[in-house]
Amino acid sequence: MSKLLGKELTEELFNRLKGDDITSKTGKAIVIVTVDEDGWAHPAMLSYYEVVAKDRSRIDLAIGKTSTTAKNLRRTGKITLLATDSGMNYYLKGNGREVKESMEEVPFMSLFRVELEQLLEDQEPDAAITSGVTFSRPWKREVSQIVEKIFDGVRSAL
């Protein structure tokens, strides 16, 4: 059963999302959920390179500007992020708005800002979370450069 913690990130979660020590999070994903036009939950995934907490109640996201996720967020402004990894499981619910239709160095990405409305923790004492969603991709120089540009754009956004 989830427990409401308030409207701000915990110290642990803020430190995890603020964009420091990003290489330790390579290959880890954050599941996000928006609502589509038919009222269905629409899941998607972002890497930690696309998510940066600016403070304890505000998170910036880089999302593909023509994606269904971006369209849903523009239309409803509602989003939930699932930050799950070994020993932790949080649901971050918030209101999002587009702050840049095209990011300068990566024009196919939009920048969204999420103001947190609820932070919930869902960690059962007798059912420990052992991992989050992970991925791997073959190393390619051009992909690594794009990922770095996306991260720099999200991190440097005011």
Side-chain angles (χ1 to χ4, degrees), residues 34-59:
T34 56
V35 180
D36 71 16
E37 291 177 339
D38 295 322
W40 291 97
H42 175 77
M45 288 186 271
L46 296 176
S47 73
Y48 278 82
Y49 287 85
E50 298 163 302
V51 178
V52 175
K54 298 301 185 157
D55 58 41
R56 293 180 94 172
S57 62
R58 184 174 50 123
I59 301 169

Side-chain angles (χ1 to χ4, degrees), residues 39-128:
W40 291 97
H42 175 77
M45 288 186 271
L46 296 176
S47 73
Y48 278 82
Y49 287 85
E50 298 163 302
V51 178
V52 175
K54 298 301 185 157
D55 58 41
R56 293 180 94 172
S57 62
R58 184 174 50 123
I59 301 169
D60 283 357
L61 310 173
I63 297 175
K65 77 179 195 178
T66 61
S67 68
T68 300
T69 297
K71 291 173 188 171
N72 291 341
L73 196 48
R74 285 181 193 112
R75 191 183 72 260
T76 69
K78 301 294 183 192
I79 189 166
T80 299
L81 293 82
L82 287 70
T84 303
D85 204 349
S86 180
M88 61 169 256
N89 188 40
Y90 294 100
Y91 310 137
L92 296 73
K93 295 182 180 186
N95 294 305
R97 64 180 174 82
E98 189 172 40
V99 292
K100 282 188 186 176
E101 182 185 1
S102 291
M103 295 173 64
E104 289 176 29
E105 296 293 321
V106 279
F108 55 89
M109 300 295 283
S110 292
L111 181 68
F112 286 85
R113 180 153 295 147
V114 176
E115 300 291 338
L116 287 182
E117 290 296 321
Q118 290 184 353
L119 173 65
L120 298 110
E121 183 178 31
D122 192 0
Q123 183 75 5
E124 296 296 324
D126 58 348

